[in-house]
Amino acid sequence: MVEKVVIIGSGPAGYTAAIYAARDDLNPLLIRGFEVGGQLMLTTAVENFPGFSSILGPDLMDSMSKQVDLLKVRKIDRNVSRVDFSSYPYKIFTDEESFEAYSVIIATGASAKWLGLPSEKKFIGKGISGCAVCDGPFFKNKDVLVVGGGDSAMEDAIYLSQLAKSVTLIHRRHEFRASKVMQDRVFSNKKVKIIWDSEVIDFLGDDKLSGAKIKNNITNEESTISVQGAFISIGHHPNTDIFKEQIEIDGGGYIATKEYTKTSKPGIFAVGDVQDHRYKQAVVAAGWGCMAAIDARKFLEEKKLV
Ligand code: NAP
C-alpha cells in the first residue's frame, strides 16, 4: 500500500498536520519518533498557546496526541532512519519497516545545541545537562549555572531557582535576546545572579562537575565559579540529518522551502522548527502543520491521487 501522506515528527507541527489530514480523509500515517512530543515535552509552563492561559508543555502535547487518537490516526513511535526521495512514490525507512508515500510532511523540529567544549562532553550526565526540566531535580539545594540569553535560558533559570540553592545565568553579551516578560521575571528573581559579557571556556571537576572557568569578553579576565550543575540553553539546530542529499537544505541548515511549505521535491513539505528560522513558536509550528496538510491535499488532488 502506498500512503497518501506520511507525517514525520510529533511536535505541534506534526500533530496539527495529522489532525488536518485525518479530518480531510487522507488517512495519514504519523511517524512520531522516539522522542514523542518534541521540545515541548522538555518545557514547563506554556503561557502563550491560545486557549490555555497556562498549561504544562507535556500536558499540551498529551492533548494533541489524544486528539489524533480520536481521529484514528495511525502512529509509529520509531525514528525514521533513512529516506529515499530519488524515485516516486517516496520511500521512508525505520530500523524495522519501510513505507511508500505519495506525499510527505517533514516536521522533525530541532534539537538542543551544545557549546562544543571538550570538557563539556566529559561532564554531560555528570553535572552538565541540556534539559533543566528533566535534570533539574538532581540539583536540589546545589549551585547551578545556566548558559544563554534567550527565552529558554530565562525559563531554565526561573525553573531551577525553585530547586537549586543558587542560579548563575551567564550570557555572552550585555543584553538578553529573550522576550521582555521573561527577562523581567529573571531580573526580579532574587535567586538568579547574572554574569554579563562572559562565556564558559572550560568545565572543571574530576568525576563530576565542580566548577566552570569563565572569561569576560570585554576585559578578557578569566575567573572560576563553583557549581555542581550547568545547563546549556543556547538554542537549537534543525533536525535535518536524514534529509541531506535528498532535498535542499538552506545555508542555515534548515530545510529550504518556497511557496509556503513546499520543499525542493514535489509532494514533500517541511514545517515547524525544521524549516522556520524566524519564529520558532509552538503556535506558529501548529499553523505551519495546518498549511502543510492543506498543501498536501492540493498536491494529491492535482496528481489525481485522491
Ligand atoms: P535563542 O532565542 O536562539 O537564544 C539562544 C541564546 O543562546 C542567545 O542569547 C545566544 O546569544 C546564546 N548562544 C548561542 N550560541 C552560544 C554559544 N556558543 N555560547 C554562548 N551563548 C550562545 O534560543 P532559545 O532561547 O532556545 O529560543 C528559541 C526560540 O524558542 C525563540 O524563538 C524563543 O522565543 C522560543 N521560546 C519561547 C519560550 C516562551 O515563550 N516561553 C520559551 C523557550 C523558547 P546571543 O543572544 O548573543 O546570540
Side-chain angles (χ1 to χ4, degrees):
M1 164 188 169
V2 181
E3 301 286 345
K4 291 191 189 89
V5 54
V6 170
I7 299 161
I8 310 173
S10 56
Y15 276 129
T16 308
I19 290 164
Y20 271 76
R23 295 187 77 244
D24 214 1
D25 280 340
L26 295 179
N27 188 22
L29 175 69
L30 176 63
I31 305 184
R32 301 201 297 181
F34 290 128
E35 287 168 26
V36 173
Q39 289 175 57
L40 279 173
M41 297 302 283
L42 309 178
T43 194
T44 49
V46 177
E47 298 175 352
N48 50 14
F49 202 93
F52 302 91
S53 50
S54 182
I55 183 167
L56 293 175
D59 289 350
L60 180 60
M61 299 324 292
D62 189 45
S63 31
M64 291 189 200
S65 177
K66 287 185 175 132
Q67 193 170 355
V68 301
D69 285 344
L70 285 175
L71 293 164
K72 305 210 173 353
V73 172
R74 293 162 300 137
K75 301 181 301 195
I76 304 261
D77 290 353
R78 283 184 283 281
N79 280 350
V80 171
S81 50
R82 186 166 73 84
V83 294
D84 180 357
F85 295 160
S86 63
S87 59
Y88 195 72
Y90 300 122
K91 290 172 196 60
I92 294 156
F93 302 84
T94 72
D95 282 344
E96 296 182 20
E97 65 255 284
S98 65
F99 305 97
E100 287 194 306
Y102 290 128
S103 74
V104 181
I105 296 175
I106 299 171
T108 45
S111 299
K113 276 188 196 161
W114 297 97
L115 291 172
L117 300 167
S119 53
E120 179 184 49
K121 251 195 185 144
K122 176 176 164 195
F123 293 114
I124 289 175
K126 294 173 186 162
I128 295 183
S129 166
C131 176
V133 179
C134 323
D135 298 328
F138 295 122
F139 298 92
K140 275 185 190 149
N141 301 318
K142 304 250 164 83
D143 299 308
V144 302
L145 182 69
V146 175
V147 184
D151 278 324
S152 300
M154 304 299 118
E155 198 172 74
D156 288 354
I158 294 160
Y159 172 70
L160 290 164
S161 72
Q162 297 161 36
L163 302 165
K165 184 160 76 179
S166 75
V167 178
T168 303
L169 179 57
I170 182 168
H171 181 41
R172 62 185 179 184
R173 295 186 293 127
H174 203 94
E175 190 183 23
F176 286 137
R177 178 179 296 276
S179 55
K180 189 175 175 309
V181 60
M182 297 299 278
Q183 292 195 34
D184 288 347
R185 282 183 202 173
V186 163
F187 292 145
S188 63
N189 188 319
K190 291 196 170 58
K191 251 189 175 176
V192 181
K193 180 188 161 198
I194 301 166
I195 302 182
W196 297 106
D197 299 309
S198 300
E199 288 182 53
V200 175
I201 52 170
D202 203 6
F203 287 106
L204 312 168
D206 295 323
D207 291 350
K208 284 182 178 172
L209 183 75
S210 62
K213 197 177 203 183
I214 59 179
K215 188 179 106 179
N216 183 297
N217 289 332
I218 312 274
T219 62
N220 283 330
E221 245 173 67
E222 293 182 9
S223 56
T224 56
I225 56 167
S226 164
V227 285
Q228 295 84 55
F231 292 84
I232 315 301
S233 272
I234 59 168
H236 296 80
H237 59 81
N239 293 325
T240 56
D241 283 356
I242 51 171
F243 306 111
K244 287 175 183 159
E245 325 289 325
Q246 302 281 334
I247 48 174
E248 196 183 321
I249 307 288
D250 73 15
Y254 296 83
I255 294 182
T257 49
K258 55 186 177 190
E259 288 177 57
Y260 308 106
T261 68
K262 291 181 185 170
T263 68
S264 55
K265 288 258 163 80
I268 302 181
F269 306 90
V271 284
D273 286 8
V274 73
Q275 64 83 42
D276 171 13
H277 40 77
R278 185 179 172 93
Y279 301 103
K280 302 175 188 176
Q281 303 296 309
V283 67
V284 176
W288 279 113
C290 156
M291 289 155 68
I294 292 172
D295 289 345
R297 146 72 67 177
K298 198 162 171 27
F299 169 82
L300 294 167
E301 278 172 6
E302 280 166 8
K303 280 239 162 206
K304 305 213 180 320
L305 292 166
V306 285

